[in-house]
Amino acid sequence: MEDEVDRLVAAWRRERPDLDVEPLEVLSRVSRLARHLDRARRIAFAEHALEPWEFDVLTSLRRAGAPYQLSPGQLLTQTLVTSGTMTNRIDRLAKKGLVERLPDPSDRRGVLVRLTGEGRDRADQALAGLLDQERAILAELSRAQRGELAALLRQLTAPFDNIPG
Amino acid sequence: MEDEVDRLVAAWRRERPDLDVEPLEVLSRVSRLARHLDRARRIAFAEHALEPWEFDVLTSLRRAGAPYQLSPGQLLTQTLVTSGTMTNRIDRLAKKGLVERLPDPSDRRGVLVRLTGEGRDRADQALAGLLDQERAILAELSRAQRGELAALLRQLTAPFDNIPG
DNA sequence: CGCAAGTATCTCGACGTCAAGACACTTCAC
DNA sequence: GTGAAGTGTCTTGACGTCGAGATACTTGCG
């Protein structure tokens, strides 16, 4: 089946036959698919009255394991946002009672963000919903294909994740 | 090589051994890679004094071929933004002299957006720069692997692109 | 010990996006 | 032709993000 990137690449080959546009076959698909996923997630989370950004923060804390707390700096690296954004997110989540700020006992510059009981429940529920939705999207592929795809993507993400950038 | 998603998945398996988190192996990588690509593109385009959103609009028009004009509605479907956003983008690009608005001769509700000569040159230059950067990112993979990856991604994007979403 | 450099977080203003609705024009059925 | 539904674009207000700088504390060197 043809997709929008096939059309996009064909158009470039017509308009700019002098250029090698093969990279777009992969990376434009990644960007566009991410865009579609963002939209789908927004809808899935709405059932749990959560925004995607709230999910990102809550699940980062949830994954940390008991006592479900991380510093704002650790949250930054997990969510790929800037520090100003994270401050704002923590403020809003705290106001909703899903997280709380505690002073870091070992560094008085620092703060720890801890998930509340309600925050934990909401994260768990939303995660289950998200996984259901993602399984439906991935039903296009066989188990083996999903494994291949994951491995190929890992090769591209690893440099970004390991060399700081 | 391990990436951030490997760590993320391992954390979920520890915290929620009851859930099947396999979908994250693919889709979390797509989202995170897209995020990294956004950042890299922003830097690449800065050399040409263009923002990513400007590039998106200008190249959509460029790909359309002479006379390089599309309606705002056609631009919406190509760029995956809302109509209010597109109006705003066209306003700003017009103010910079990179596009111009013309009345649509065949539908008086409509408008056509046309690339100016300078807009076309800027789009062409930025595209070449982007492709160089993307080639560097994709050097992690063999030509055959890139082909495989593109084909697998196409299977996931096609439903979004063909069934209206 | 004392000071400079480094680090963690927060503050602030500018900006881009979105969603919903308004408006103008077109199309289609009767 | 006329009215209703449909379509294409723009307007508006709220919101989230970013980047740069400020602040408070810590670390390491002399």
Side-chain angles (χ1 to χ4, degrees):
Chain A
M1 173 129 62
E2 195 180 43
D3 71 356
E4 195 61 36
V5 174
D6 284 321
R7 297 186 265 273
L8 179 154
V9 166
W12 279 127
R13 296 217 161 110
R14 174 167 39 74
E15 290 298 319
R16 296 294 308 273
D18 56 311
L19 286 180
D20 171 17
V21 296
E22 190 240 6
L24 302 178
E25 295 268 9
V26 171
L27 297 183
S28 291
R29 285 195 172 91
V30 169
S31 293
R32 289 185 67 95
L33 181 54
R35 204 79 211 255
H36 289 303
L37 291 175
D38 278 348
R39 292 187 169 187
R41 276 200 272 259
R42 180 175 308 278
I43 294 168
F45 292 145
E47 289 179 32
H48 305 277
L50 278 182
E51 299 294 322
W53 64 262
E54 295 179 300
F55 178 84
D56 283 346
V57 176
L58 297 180
T59 52
S60 292
L61 293 166
R62 178 67 184 79
R63 276 198 306 278
Y68 308 117
Q69 59 189 25
L70 292 173
S71 69
Q74 291 173 307
L75 287 170
L76 292 191
T77 66
Q78 295 222 7
T79 56
L80 300 179
V81 299
T82 61
S83 65
T85 297
M86 187 52 67
T87 298
N88 185 17
R89 288 183 174 187
I90 296 167
D91 286 347
R92 286 175 282 158
L93 287 170
K95 202 166 296 177
K96 292 177 76 169
L98 302 180
V99 307
E100 53 193 350
R101 269 198 186 85
L102 309 171
D104 182 336
S106 68
D107 183 341
R108 271 192 293 179
R109 292 169 303 181
V111 165
L112 291 174
V113 181
R114 180 157 68 192
L115 209 50
T116 64
E118 189 192 344
R120 180 183 154 166
D121 291 344
R122 299 279 291 280
D124 280 343
Q125 290 159 18
L127 174 64
L130 176 68
L131 287 171
D132 287 344
Q133 187 195 51
E134 295 200 341
R135 258 187 287 277
I137 292 169
L138 290 168
E140 298 288 327
L141 302 179
S142 70
R143 183 165 188 80
Q145 286 179 314
R146 294 196 296 270
E148 261 183 74
L149 182 47
L152 290 166
L153 289 169
R154 181 188 291 108
Q155 288 194 58
L156 295 181
T157 53
F160 287 106
D161 286 344
N162 293 308
I163 302 167
Chain B
M1 174 130 59
E2 197 180 42
D3 71 356
E4 197 62 35
V5 174
D6 284 321
R7 296 186 265 275
L8 179 154
V9 167
W12 279 128
R13 298 220 160 108
R14 174 167 39 75
E15 290 298 319
R16 295 294 309 273
D18 57 311
L19 286 179
D20 170 18
V21 295
E22 189 241 7
L24 302 178
E25 296 267 8
V26 170
L27 297 183
S28 291
R29 285 196 172 90
V30 169
S31 292
R32 290 186 66 95
L33 181 54
R35 201 81 211 252
H36 289 303
L37 290 175
D38 278 348
R39 292 187 168 186
R41 276 200 273 259
R42 182 175 307 280
I43 294 168
F45 292 145
E47 290 179 29
H48 304 279
L50 278 183
E51 298 295 322
W53 65 262
E54 296 179 297
F55 178 84
D56 283 347
V57 176
L58 296 181
T59 52
S60 292
L61 293 167
R62 178 65 183 83
R63 277 198 305 277
Y68 308 117
Q69 60 189 25
L70 292 172
S71 70
Q74 290 173 308
L75 287 169
L76 292 189
T77 66
Q78 295 224 4
T79 56
L80 301 178
V81 298
T82 61
S83 66
T85 298
M86 187 53 67
T87 297
N88 186 16
R89 288 181 174 188
I90 296 166
D91 287 347
R92 285 174 283 158
L93 286 171
K95 203 167 296 178
K96 291 177 76 170
L98 302 180
V99 306
E100 52 193 349
R101 267 197 186 87
L102 309 171
D104 182 337
S106 68
D107 184 340
R108 270 192 293 178
R109 292 168 304 182
V111 164
L112 291 175
V113 181
R114 181 157 66 192
L115 209 50
T116 63
E118 188 191 344
R120 179 183 154 166
D121 291 344
R122 299 278 290 281
D124 280 342
Q125 290 159 20
L127 174 64
L130 176 68
L131 287 170
D132 287 343
Q133 187 197 49
E134 295 200 340
R135 257 186 287 278
I137 292 168
L138 291 167
E140 298 288 326
L141 303 179
S142 70
R143 182 165 189 79
Q145 285 179 315
R146 294 196 296 269
E148 260 184 75
L149 181 48
L152 290 166
L153 289 169
R154 181 188 291 107
Q155 288 194 59
L156 295 181
T157 54
F160 287 106
D161 285 344
N162 293 309
I163 302 165

